[in-house]
Amino acid sequence: MSVILATAGQDDKIRFWEAPSGICSRILRYADSQVNCLEITPDKQYLAAGGNPHIRLFEINNSSNQNPILTLEGHTGNVTSLGFQRNGRYLYSGSEDGTVKLWDLRSPTFSRSFDSRGAVNSVALHPSQAEIISGDQNGSVKIWDLGSSKCINDIVPDAQSSSTSSEGRVAIQSVDVSADARTLVAANNHAEVFVWNPSDATKRTQQSNEPLRPLAKFRAHPLGAYLLHARISPDCRHLVTTSSDKTARLWDTTTWQLTQTLSQHSKWVWDAVFSADSSYLVTASSDRTARLWNLRTGTPVRHYTDHDYAVTCVALNDSST
């Protein structure tokens, strides 16, 4: 299979799709929990699914095996975000239990755990593979150094929205780092997006008295809308944001100007993922569908419509390597 596309959500099922035809080719049952996040290994061999509170790995190319080949136990709350290191042997995850964990997939237990002191909504791996960035419910963007196992920076963006945490801050909903390591973005759940240079963020230690000022800051969706996800394209030229306003929006990472609004979903858009060449996007929505968009034209070219409830996460790997 050259293109692996999977969706999941609140109906306790993971669906694999034939991307060009829109046909559901396989269904996996994810027992006892909704699915919060999905990720495919770089070699397209395994799919990781995060639920409450476990992470399960499934074989992609063995359709006869419907059961997970590995269940990772250690989180005590919803797993909200996960990803793989470049070689696919290690997995990192964030959870509402307030921790970021690193897993060696040769073992069912975590190898390291970092205490974020607040529910973690999003995690991302720096392209150097040496740092993990997390965004949490207390409004912090933390940078964890994997060499020293320490938090080397704790950034609290100066949000203009009313607070959503007990500490009077606005929760960080999503974080990402561009593949060229030049752009770090964090988006809060009131749709404010903050942009930094990752090298500035990693140079500053938490002992520094001066706050790290963002290079750019903007509102991605209308006042009153919730931002749900933000992701930088593989070619580093665009940022996509998804929202409760039923849209996904594309932003130019040079000017941070809005370039496209994708608006054919009828309910919240929870997640979005780019194709390897950054010319297509798949979105997942509460309207029980996922959609494949041609970003050159801004039009949907395929609908994936077999889910019974909200589709909250999507994973795509169509890389040729």
Side-chain angles (χ1 to χ4, degrees):
M1 297 173 68
S2 58
V3 178
I4 310 299
L5 173 62
T7 58
Q10 296 177 358
D11 61 3
D12 304 342
K13 296 182 180 73
I14 300 167
R15 285 173 167 80
F16 287 91
W17 303 89
E18 294 177 3
S21 68
I23 294 171
C24 179
S25 59
R26 184 183 176 196
I27 299 176
L28 295 174
R29 178 136 181 92
Y30 194 96
D32 310 322
S33 169
Q34 80 282 0
V35 181
N36 302 316
C37 47
L38 294 171
E39 196 71 37
I40 299 163
T41 53
D43 63 6
K44 305 182 184 178
Q45 297 300 304
Y46 303 102
L47 175 79
N52 184 10
H54 28 58
I55 301 167
R56 291 172 177 152
L57 261 73
F58 297 89
E59 288 182 290
I60 290 175
N61 298 314
N62 182 5
S63 58
S64 63
N65 184 10
Q66 300 296 302
N67 298 313
I69 60 160
L70 182 64
T71 297
L72 303 177
E73 304 280 0
H75 282 300
T76 58
N78 271 297
V79 178
T80 54
S81 182
L82 53 78
F84 291 98
Q85 286 185 295
R86 190 177 294 137
N87 60 21
R89 289 197 296 268
Y90 293 88
L91 182 147
Y92 57 94
S93 59
S95 169
E96 289 179 353
D97 66 11
T99 68
V100 174
K101 295 189 188 302
L102 191 64
W103 311 78
D104 182 333
L105 296 182
R106 294 168 293 189
S107 167
T109 58
F110 57 88
S111 57
R112 274 188 272 182
S113 184
F114 307 103
D115 182 9
S116 184
R117 302 189 304 279
V120 177
N121 294 324
S122 182
V123 288
L125 182 65
H126 190 283
S128 70
Q129 314 288 290
E131 293 112 19
I132 291 175
I133 296 91
S134 64
D136 64 42
Q137 197 68 19
N138 289 336
S140 286
V141 179
K142 293 184 174 69
I143 300 176
W144 306 92
D145 180 76
L146 298 180
S148 65
S149 294
K150 293 181 179 178
C151 178
I152 59 172
N153 208 339
D154 186 347
I155 307 165
V156 181
D158 182 21
Q160 300 302 310
S161 304
S162 56
S163 68
T164 56
S165 79
S166 58
E167 298 185 17
R169 303 172 182 173
V170 182
I172 299 297
Q173 189 68 23
S174 197
V175 294
D176 200 14
V177 186
S178 61
D180 62 6
R182 293 181 178 180
T183 306
L184 165 63
V185 297
N188 66 29
N189 64 2
H190 285 177
E192 293 173 285
V193 177
F194 305 87
V195 183
W196 299 272
N197 183 325
S199 63
D200 293 340
T202 54
K203 285 174 192 169
R204 303 250 185 152
T205 66
Q206 59 191 68
Q207 284 77 34
S208 174
N209 292 323
E210 281 191 38
L212 183 64
R213 301 192 181 280
L215 302 175
K217 173 182 171 182
F218 62 96
R219 180 175 294 281
H221 296 267
L223 199 63
Y226 293 105
L227 183 144
L228 303 170
H229 198 76
R231 193 189 299 255
I232 299 171
S233 60
D235 67 5
C236 309
R237 295 172 61 186
H238 287 93
L239 171 76
V240 64
T241 58
T242 71
S243 170
S244 64
D245 69 4
K246 309 174 189 176
T247 72
R249 295 187 174 193
L250 277 296
W251 306 86
D252 185 304
T253 56
T254 302
T255 64
W256 298 107
Q257 295 298 305
L258 178 67
T259 59
Q260 289 188 72
T261 299
L262 310 178
S263 56
Q264 293 200 19
H265 282 293
S266 60
K267 293 186 178 180
W268 291 23
V269 182
W270 284 95
D271 196 8
V273 60
F274 288 94
S275 62
D277 68 359
S278 303
S279 62
Y280 289 87
L281 185 81
V282 184
T283 52
S285 171
S286 289
D287 66 12
R288 301 186 294 179
T289 74
R291 293 179 187 239
L292 173 67
W293 304 80
N294 182 334
L295 296 182
R296 294 188 182 97
T297 62
T299 56
V301 294
R302 195 67 62 226
H303 297 177
Y304 308 99
T305 59
D306 198 38
H307 278 282
D308 300 318
Y309 297 102
V311 186
T312 55
C313 50
V314 58
L316 172 67
N317 186 338
D318 65 330
S319 65
S320 57
T321 55

